């Protein structure tokens, strides 16, 4: 029998051919001898633009999130290095801030090295964890306890990557590829109170351009405790306008060729206006909806087995894989893209100190989104969480609950939706364990351990340890699961 394909002298493998009709998830595609019809061409390009736009959403969450942070700071008055936001009290549920904590005093500023040149940051002794991140939320340098000053205080200098000017002696230097950089300092509570940390920041933090070192401007501390403001990126079409502003403003070197090319494929290109037509605007709006939904799936119902801290447990790690760059096998396995998207959709601040094993320094985190039955946490129901005795935290521990919509502190009649073992008068069981309770109404017992939830709303929780000790890292100690209470 002759197996030669009609019209050819030799057999053509079927695997390299395209049929005249192909049924796919985007519909039926039609061809004439491998040539796509006009209608099929339009369908394919619409799909390509959609797929790439979804990928832009997932890959550019760090950039969009940092842009929202920059805008939120600017809206509250941070328009120069010496102007910073300060929470004299721990952050309550008023601001929209990705998984902010109720346990530290925050100081937040924006360092624009394109406008100001190299910028000096002086931190006082005993400063809590501090970090500078670039415009793609990548690590630049740590300060305070986890930083090179090791809590002794010191002077830091943040300079552009390509800066070749003189750097005076006595500075810890951080190089950044971006113009805009976020500075966040966290002051630890003393005896459960914020006063000492806030005073230390006001008296000891100084930020100014290196060019003005001889006559630095006086610091302006903008008090935002209890103030509502937004620092969270958009989940709709506006997401792409945030990305476009970042690419327009920041140096080309902020992103590699692949990321720049991905953004350019949907019309976001440096030196060109971002002006999608009606067709593309509709595609981008749809892609933002699918992209944000996908990011939510990654956060709240991850399929990554490496995310789970313990076998048979719902507790998950924020830094999946234990690497602040989300590199697998030291980079041999590439970057875990889903883990990076998941982290930045949920949280802010990128530092090795949150991923590395640093006994007694920095902080560690675990979060939980479902109960012991695998069901989402429901604000209409009552739950109990057991915290066993001897929590491996040198400083203190806390549990804060959050709104799954905003990923910010849950807004209830309690300004602080949390419990902190140093700040709150918790009831302790005879064996040293603590039972935390969650629900819309306080229980008859353990009311001091109750955190309020909202009927009709979901919630999730983050467990934090400040100054984590060895039993946390070797997993000989672990928190209980969130158990429904009948």
């Amino acid at each position: 029998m002759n197996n030669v394909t009609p019209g050819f002298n030799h057999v053509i493998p079927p695997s390299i051919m395209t049929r005249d009709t192909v049924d796919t998830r985007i519909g039926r595609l039609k061809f004439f001898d491998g040539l796509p019809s006009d209608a099929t061409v339009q369908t394919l390009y619409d799909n390509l633009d959609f797929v790439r736009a979804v990928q832009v959403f997932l890959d550019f969450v760090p950039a969009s999130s940092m842009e929202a942070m920059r805008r939120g700071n600017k809206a509250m008055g941070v328009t120069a290095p010496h102007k910073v936001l300060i929470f004299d009290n721990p952050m309550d549920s008023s601001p929209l801030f990705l998984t902010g904590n109720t346990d530290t005093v925050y100081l937040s500023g924006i360092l624009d090295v394109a406008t100001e040149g190299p910028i000096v940051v002086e931190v006082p002794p005993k400063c809590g964890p501090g970090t500078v991140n670039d415009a793609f939320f990548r690590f630049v340098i740590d300060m305070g306890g986890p930083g090179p000053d090791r809590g002794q205080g010191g002077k830091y200098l943040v300079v552009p990557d390509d800066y070749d000017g003189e750097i005076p002696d006595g500075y810890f230097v951080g190089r950044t590829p971006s113009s805009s950089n976020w500075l966040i300092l966290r002051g630890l509570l003393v005896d459960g109170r914020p006063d000492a940390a806030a005073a230390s920041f006001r008296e000891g933090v100084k930020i100014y351009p290196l060019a003005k070192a001889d006559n630095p401007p006086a610091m302006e501390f903008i008090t935002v405790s209890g103030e509502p403001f937004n620092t969270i990126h958009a989940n709709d079409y506006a997401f792409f306008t945030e990305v476009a502003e970042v690419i327009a403003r920041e140096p080309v070197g902020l992103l590699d060729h692949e990321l720049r090319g991905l953004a350019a494929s949907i019309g976001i290109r440096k030196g060109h206006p971002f002006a999608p037509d009606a067709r593309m605007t509709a595609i981008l709006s749809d892609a933002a909806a699918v992209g944000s939904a996908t990011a939510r799936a990654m956060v709240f119902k991850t399929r990554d087995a490496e995310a789970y801290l313990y076998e048979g447990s719902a507790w998950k790690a924020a830094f999946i894989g234990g690497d602040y760059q989300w590199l697998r096998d030291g980079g041999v396995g590439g970057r875990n893209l889903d883990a990076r998207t998941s982290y930045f959709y949920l949280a802010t601040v990128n530092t090795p100190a949150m991923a590395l094993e640093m006994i007694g320094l920095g902080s560690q985190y675990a979060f939980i989104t479902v109960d012991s039955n695998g069901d989402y946490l429901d604000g209409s129901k009552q739950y109990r969480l057991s915290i066993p005795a001897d929590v491996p935290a040198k400083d203190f521990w806390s549990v804060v609950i959050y709104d799954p919509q905003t990923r910010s502190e849950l807004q209830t009649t309690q300004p602080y939706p949390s419990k902190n073992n140093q700040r709150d008068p918790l009831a302790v069981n005879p064996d040293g364990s603590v039972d935390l309770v969650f629900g819309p109404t306080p229980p008859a017992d353990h009311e001091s351990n109750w955190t309020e939830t909202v009927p009709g709303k979901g919630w999730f929780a983050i467990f934090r340890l400040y100054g984590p000790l060895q039993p946390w890292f070797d997993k000989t100690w672990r928190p209980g699961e969130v158990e429904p209470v009948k």
Side-chain angles (χ1 to χ4, degrees):
M1 181 177 177
N2 188 351
N3 291 324
V4 175
T5 305
F8 298 95
N9 296 323
H10 303 286
V11 174
I12 305 298
S15 62
I16 72 171
M17 305 289 279
T18 297
R19 300 187 305 274
D20 286 348
T21 59
V22 181
D23 290 319
T24 73
R25 67 189 303 160
I26 62 172
R28 174 165 289 181
L29 308 178
K30 296 182 178 181
F31 302 85
F32 165 66
D33 200 23
L35 304 171
S37 69
D38 289 347
T40 291
V41 167
Q42 187 62 56
T43 297
L44 291 170
Y45 279 132
D46 285 350
N47 181 66
L48 180 61
D49 290 340
F50 172 75
V51 168
R52 284 183 169 159
V54 170
Q55 197 61 51
V56 167
F57 189 100
L58 298 175
D59 284 352
F60 280 81
V61 166
S64 185
S65 183
M66 184 58 86
E67 174 61 12
M69 181 66 70
R70 186 192 69 83
R71 293 181 185 186
N73 274 257
K74 183 178 179 181
M76 299 303 288
V78 179
T79 56
H82 67 283
K83 298 180 179 182
V84 296
L85 305 184
I86 188 170
F87 290 81
D88 288 297
N89 295 309
M91 183 184 290
D92 64 12
S93 60
S94 299
L96 296 174
F97 196 103
L98 291 175
T99 55
N101 72 63
T102 62
D103 310 309
T104 62
V105 173
Y106 281 119
L107 182 145
S108 174
I110 301 297
L111 311 179
D112 186 345
V113 296
T115 302
E116 304 288 350
I119 295 176
V120 178
V121 180
E122 297 184 20
V123 298
K126 299 182 180 179
C127 179
T131 303
V132 175
N133 285 165
D134 74 9
F136 200 76
F137 248 123
R138 290 173 301 214
F139 174 72
V140 174
I141 195 168
D142 273 334
M143 300 177 180
D149 72 276
R150 291 295 183 262
Q152 301 302 305
K155 292 183 178 181
Y156 288 79
L157 189 63
V158 180
V159 304
D161 265 348
D162 59 357
Y163 179 72
D164 59 3
E166 181 181 355
I167 295 179
D169 292 336
Y171 290 92
F172 302 110
V173 179
R175 291 187 175 270
T176 173
S178 66
S179 300
S180 299
N181 302 269
W182 182 42
L183 165 68
I184 182 72
L185 301 179
R186 287 159 288 171
L188 300 182
L189 304 181
V190 177
D191 297 326
R193 297 182 57 80
D195 309 61
S200 175
F201 283 163
R202 288 181 174 276
E203 296 167 5
V205 171
K206 294 179 175 58
I207 307 171
Y208 51 87
L210 180 63
K212 299 180 180 179
D214 291 338
N215 187 27
M219 289 295 296
E220 294 184 29
F221 295 93
I222 303 166
T223 300
V224 290
S225 292
E227 295 289 333
F229 63 101
N230 179 43
T231 67
I232 301 176
H233 65 80
N235 277 298
D236 58 10
Y237 169 82
F239 177 95
F240 297 105
T241 68
E242 292 168 347
V243 172
E245 183 166 341
V246 173
I247 289 179
R249 182 187 64 246
E250 294 295 334
V252 171
L254 174 70
L255 305 173
D256 62 24
H257 295 291
E258 296 294 327
L259 281 175
R260 291 204 306 274
L262 180 61
S265 73
I266 62 167
I268 303 176
R269 185 177 173 191
K270 191 170 183 64
H272 296 259
F274 177 54
D277 58 17
R279 167 190 161 276
M280 195 64 187
T281 297
I283 288 174
L284 292 175
S285 297
D286 197 21
V290 172
S292 62
T294 304
R296 287 181 178 278
M298 292 173 179
V299 170
F300 297 115
K301 280 288 182 79
T302 181
R303 64 181 181 180
D304 189 340
E306 195 176 7
Y308 293 94
L309 288 170
Y310 317 102
E311 185 176 353
S313 172
W315 286 103
K316 295 177 284 189
F319 279 92
I320 298 173
D323 186 279
Y324 75 100
Q325 296 175 301
W326 295 276
L327 298 178
R328 290 187 172 106
D329 306 320
V332 174
R335 197 183 311 278
N336 187 335
L337 299 178
D338 291 357
R340 182 179 66 183
T341 296
S342 175
Y343 179 81
F344 286 111
Y345 197 79
L346 175 73
T348 64
V349 188
N350 183 9
T351 165
M354 293 166 65
L356 296 176
E357 183 175 315
M358 301 175 66
I359 305 300
L361 293 175
S363 50
Q364 286 288 308
Y365 306 80
F367 76 105
I368 196 164
T369 60
V370 297
D371 66 18
S372 57
N373 298 321
D375 298 321
Y376 286 130
L377 301 171
D378 183 343
S380 306
K381 300 177 181 179
Q382 302 280 351
Y383 299 89
R384 190 176 298 267
L385 167 62
S386 175
I387 305 296
D390 302 319
V391 179
K394 179 174 68 69
D395 299 318
F396 58 90
W397 60 265
S398 76
V399 174
V400 186
I401 68 173
Y402 297 92
D403 183 332
Q405 282 281 6
T406 65
R407 292 92 70 210
S408 301
E409 292 177 25
L410 185 68
Q411 296 184 1
T412 69
T413 63
Q414 296 176 328
Y416 297 106
S418 65
K419 287 295 176 281
N420 176 309
N421 76 307
Q422 192 179 84
R423 181 192 64 213
D424 299 308
L426 300 175
V428 179
N429 297 322
D431 65 357
S433 67
V434 173
D435 289 330
L436 301 181
V437 289
F438 309 88
T441 56
D445 60 339
H446 285 79
E447 183 173 351
S448 62
N449 295 19
W450 169 65
T451 303
E452 184 180 5
T453 61
V454 180
K457 280 200 67 63
W459 59 277
F460 67 96
I462 296 182
F463 178 61
R464 290 177 169 87
L465 300 92
Y466 292 86
L469 302 175
Q470 188 62 49
W472 173 257
F473 295 105
D474 62 24
K475 299 183 181 179
T476 55
W477 184 97
R478 58 184 276 188
E481 302 298 304
V482 177
E483 304 284 350
V485 177
K486 295 182 181 180

